[in-house]
Amino acid sequence: MGIQGLLPFLKKSSRNIQLSEFRGKVAAVDVYCWLHKGAFSCAEKLVKGEPTDGYIIYVMKQVNLLLSHNIKPILVFDGCHLPAKEVTELKRRENRVKNRRKAKELLREGKIKEARECFQRCVDITSTMAHEVIKACRARNIDTIVAPYEADSQLAFLNINGVADIVITEDSDLILFGCSKIIFKMDSNGCGVLVEKEKLHLSMNVPRDKFDFTKFRNMCILSGCDYLPSLHGIGLVKACRFFIVTSNPDVYTVSLSKVLNFVNM
DNA sequence: ATCTAGTCGTCAT
DNA sequence: CGACTAGAT
């Protein structure tokens, strides 16, 4: 679930853009997002195990959109699952099985439209599908990378080290990973929302020289994240208010009573 | 005003 | 994954 409500919180650090602004740049792409959207168009065939290239067509359409703006794409794929997220993965698998049963049932009853919705809910992006897209890219000389684990950190690495000027994703965690420029909600017209690291202080309501990225990251962690149970009643706004006044930027050594006292709970 | 937990949409005809 | 929202605090 990442950080709840991070993108709306960062409205002052965001602006609408068009891909044409990034002519000549290199973009690292979180392909999982495109794979998932593309799989929607051919969900039933994928679940039934029937051959389809619908998702490949969609990914390549997006790739062509970047190329048409003279942007060089580097497609980053997910590698191994993180052991820390195994529980989440198991729940998702369970959900898929449930929806698959329901889809087949609806199909028998002749409720085609409702069945399709269930099929779309239980699509799984397999490594075989990823490999098909990689082959399609290789045939067209498009760079692809398979990350050791989740693509997030690989995307951030490429951006921080200057290999990629921008990152294209739907995952707000990339902001915490330290990316300088991220495009969210990119549509098929090349419009999207750009979030810049250099503008993060605007959303925290502090002057640029008072902004500390570590504080920002710890503020997000305090508001609640995937990796550990979170404090009830503390969201981004309260976490932000706390970190503006505290001199200690370390979320782990700050005393709990201090936090609770500050937000008067 | 803020937080939580649940539901819905992503494609494309 | 996020967006949106009803409902609780």
Side-chain angles (χ1 to χ4, degrees):
Chain A
M1 259 176 282
I3 305 298
Q4 297 256 342
L6 184 54
L7 242 47
F9 181 81
L10 294 177
K11 202 153 194 168
K12 291 176 184 168
S13 315
S14 318
R15 70 182 168 90
N16 291 339
I17 52 92
Q18 225 287 332
L19 276 184
S20 52
E21 284 184 40
F22 300 94
R23 183 162 291 274
K25 303 288 187 187
V26 177
V29 178
D30 192 351
V31 209
Y32 180 80
C33 307
W34 291 354
L35 273 169
H36 205 265
K37 283 183 183 174
F40 247 72
S41 60
C42 49
E44 191 170 338
K45 284 182 178 173
L46 285 171
V47 176
K48 286 180 173 172
E50 294 169 9
T52 175
D53 59 354
Y55 61 95
I56 305 173
I57 303 276
Y58 179 78
V59 173
M60 292 324 251
K61 207 171 87 181
Q62 298 292 77
V63 167
N64 284 330
L65 182 63
L66 293 180
L67 292 174
S68 74
H69 285 96
N70 203 19
I71 296 168
K72 181 196 165 160
I74 302 175
L75 270 53
V76 181
F77 293 80
D78 285 296
C80 302
H81 290 296
L82 276 179
K85 289 196 173 173
E86 206 177 309
V87 181
T88 313
E89 198 55 40
L90 236 71
K91 275 184 185 170
R92 282 184 184 159
R93 192 168 302 166
E94 207 173 291
N95 216 300
R96 282 198 293 267
V97 173
K98 225 162 81 183
N99 274 298
R100 193 161 61 197
R101 278 205 201 105
K102 199 170 175 186
K104 286 180 178 174
E105 200 181 308
L106 287 166
L107 216 56
R108 273 196 299 271
E109 293 170 18
K111 296 173 179 172
I112 311 289
K113 200 174 176 182
E114 286 167 281
R116 206 174 66 183
E117 276 179 27
C118 284
F119 277 123
Q120 289 174 330
R121 254 185 262 276
C122 63
V123 240
D124 185 23
I125 308 300
T126 64
S127 52
T128 312
M129 291 166 66
H131 195 241
E132 290 301 317
V133 173
I134 290 173
K135 280 196 283 187
C137 288
R138 293 229 170 112
R140 303 191 46 192
N141 240 346
I142 306 294
D143 285 356
T144 59
I145 293 178
V146 179
Y149 287 95
E150 294 188 318
D152 313 22
S153 38
Q154 186 70 44
L155 291 159
F157 179 86
L158 293 172
N159 189 218
I160 290 166
N161 290 285
V163 178
D165 304 293
I166 52 174
V167 169
I168 297 173
T169 184
E170 301 299 335
D171 185 354
S172 61
D173 278 354
L174 270 295
I175 301 163
L176 273 87
F177 285 15
C179 294
S180 55
K181 289 176 193 286
I182 311 169
I183 296 178
F184 295 98
K185 307 181 203 311
M186 196 191 99
D187 64 21
S188 47
N189 297 315
C191 297
V193 178
L194 179 74
V195 176
E196 291 168 280
K197 188 181 182 184
E198 290 302 310
K199 288 187 175 178
L200 289 179
H201 66 279
L202 295 173
S203 299
M204 283 184 78
N205 295 311
V206 295
R208 184 189 294 273
D209 56 303
K210 289 272 174 60
F211 178 79
D212 176 2
F213 189 75
T214 305
K215 252 188 186 181
F216 170 77
R217 191 197 288 115
N218 285 333
M219 172 194 82
C220 293
I221 293 169
L222 179 63
S223 84
C225 69
D226 290 350
Y227 296 95
L228 67 173
S230 55
L231 295 169
H232 226 269
I234 311 280
L236 273 170
V237 176
K238 285 178 182 175
C240 181
R241 281 208 282 257
F242 177 77
F243 270 104
I244 284 175
V245 296
T246 185
S247 53
N248 185 356
D250 186 358
V251 75
Y252 300 106
T253 60
V254 87
S255 79
L256 190 59
S257 58
K258 225 174 167 182
V259 179
L260 297 179
N261 192 35
F262 182 79
V263 297
N264 61 65
M265 296 190 73

